[in-house]
């Protein structure tokens, strides 16, 4: 028997797992369209209220962003000790899956993808939202769209945290000290994602513990081997001092130059 959520959404099949919950393919019985439902279980006890607060914040922040490069949020439902974020359904591969299947991508393709992703990120930043978990697994590629997904760690700009938020291989050095709620920290993660896309590896050696991560981030990023004209962009984005890091505006212009160079 099919599961119906909130008397409206018929669950079809799980399609993935985000940082904070399982994502389902579903069908909206009222509007007769496919949707995606992100299922988030509420823990027992006093932690439930905090988890609920974070999920509602995530949904509200994502819902107020209207851009074709950001997954659209339609609704938020609560049922059976679970919260369900209702979003547009995308027939897409993540950038992570694409790299697993196809290997590193050409520099001109990464530049084109990066420009579209950066447009979405700048829209979020202009709306006062910091993503805090930009990585290949949170980027959807479908048709001519590059879509930023999973705002589970997102926060208002300037938010301080006593705990690390994000994925170790893509987290900015300052986020280790609770200063990850900035545009500059997102730009580091964006740079690490572009590096992974064109190089097929992370900028720093693989780490399995917090101590190893701290040690790795003290070292310079591994020299790119395939980046070509992207190399100065990657180096500028992966500067450890956030004040010296490339801005979104400068990065966008440099990515445009890479595309022009590649087409010449």
């Amino acid at each position: 028997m099919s599961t119906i959520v909130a008397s409206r959404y018929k669950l079809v099949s799980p399609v993935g797992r985000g940082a904070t919950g399982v994502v389902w393919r579903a069908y909206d019985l009222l509007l007769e369209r496919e949707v995606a439902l992100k299922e988030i279980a509420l823990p027992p006890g006093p932690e439930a209220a905090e988890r609920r607060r974070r999920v509602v914040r995530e949904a509200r922040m994502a819902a107020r962003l209207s851009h074709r490069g950001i997954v659209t949020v339609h609704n938020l439902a609560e049922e059976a000790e679970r919260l369900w974020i209702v979003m547009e359904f995308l027939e897409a591969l993540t950038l992570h899956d694409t790299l697993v299947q196809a290997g590193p991508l050409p520099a001109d393709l990464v530049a084109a993808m990066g420009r579209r992703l950066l447009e979405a990120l700048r829209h979020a930043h202009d709306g006062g939202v910091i993503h805090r978990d930009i990585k290949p697994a949170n980027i959807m590629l479908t048709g001519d769209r590059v879509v930023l997904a999973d705002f589970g760690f997102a926060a208002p700009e300037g938010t301080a945290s006593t705990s690390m938020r994000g994925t170790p291989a893509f987290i900015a050095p300052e986020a280790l000290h609770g200063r990850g709620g900035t545009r500059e920290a997102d730009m580091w993660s964006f740079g690490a994602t572009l590096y992974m896309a064109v190089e097929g590896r992370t900028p720093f050696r693989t780490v399995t513990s917090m101590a190893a991560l701290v040690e790795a981030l003290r070292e310079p990023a591994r020299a790119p081997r395939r980046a070509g004209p992207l190399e100065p962009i990657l180096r500028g984005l992966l500067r450890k001092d956030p004040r010296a890091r490339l801005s979104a505006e400068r990065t966008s212009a440099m990515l445009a130059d890479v595309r022009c160079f590649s087409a010449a």
Side-chain angles (χ1 to χ4, degrees):
M1 186 175 180
S2 299
T3 300
I4 308 296
V5 174
S7 304
R8 175 173 175 176
Y9 304 106
K10 178 181 177 181
L11 299 184
V12 178
S13 60
V15 294
R17 182 178 291 274
T20 54
V22 178
V23 179
W24 291 81
R25 185 175 191 155
Y27 189 74
D28 184 341
L29 298 171
L30 180 61
L31 296 181
E32 299 183 341
R33 64 178 179 180
E34 281 193 307
V35 292
L37 263 64
K38 182 177 178 181
E39 174 192 8
I40 303 164
L42 296 176
E47 293 182 4
E50 174 60 20
R51 173 74 63 85
R52 187 183 187 283
R53 186 189 67 81
R54 290 203 310 265
V55 173
V56 171
R57 183 182 69 179
E58 171 192 354
R60 286 175 175 171
M61 284 192 299
R64 79 188 192 203
L65 301 174
S66 179
H67 192 280
R68 73 189 309 268
I70 296 174
V71 170
T72 301
V73 171
H74 299 309
N75 197 5
L76 177 64
E78 185 170 0
E79 185 172 279
E81 299 183 344
R82 283 169 168 73
L83 288 168
W84 305 81
I85 300 177
V86 185
M87 304 171 288
E88 67 172 316
F89 180 78
L90 296 174
E91 288 279 7
L93 282 176
T94 67
L95 175 58
H96 170 81
D97 291 338
T98 300
L99 295 173
V100 169
Q101 294 181 19
L105 303 177
D108 59 339
L109 183 59
V110 173
M113 178 200 71
R115 285 194 73 195
R116 292 181 180 176
L117 177 60
L118 188 54
E119 288 173 2
L121 185 58
R122 292 177 71 178
H123 178 79
H125 288 173
D126 289 345
V129 176
I130 305 301
H131 190 277
R132 299 203 299 179
D133 197 24
I134 299 167
K135 60 183 179 181
N138 284 341
I139 298 165
M140 311 291 287
L141 306 177
T142 174
D144 64 344
R145 292 178 67 187
V146 178
V147 183
L148 182 59
D150 201 339
F151 281 71
F153 288 152
E157 186 171 6
T159 299
S161 175
T162 56
S163 60
M164 184 184 75
R165 300 290 183 184
T167 302
F170 301 94
I171 193 170
E174 63 269 22
L176 297 174
H177 307 288
R179 299 192 299 272
T182 65
R183 301 182 183 208
E184 292 79 11
D186 266 1
M187 290 303 294
W188 168 285
S189 301
F190 172 76
T193 296
L194 295 190
Y195 186 106
M196 181 75 177
V198 75
E199 293 292 319
R201 59 178 184 167
T202 58
F204 299 88
R205 56 187 171 82
T206 302
V207 296
T208 57
S209 68
M210 180 61 70
L213 175 61
V214 171
E215 184 63 30
L217 289 178
R218 289 174 180 163
E219 303 169 0
R222 295 188 282 191
R225 298 177 297 190
R226 301 171 42 90
L230 278 176
E231 182 170 352
I233 299 174
L234 300 180
R235 292 190 181 280
L237 290 170
L238 295 174
R239 290 171 181 156
K240 290 185 171 53
D241 183 352
R243 296 168 298 181
R245 207 166 291 156
L246 286 178
S247 67
E249 293 79 7
R250 179 59 181 150
T251 302
S252 180
M254 293 175 73
L255 286 171
D257 287 343
V258 170
R259 292 187 64 189
C260 293
F261 172 82
S262 300

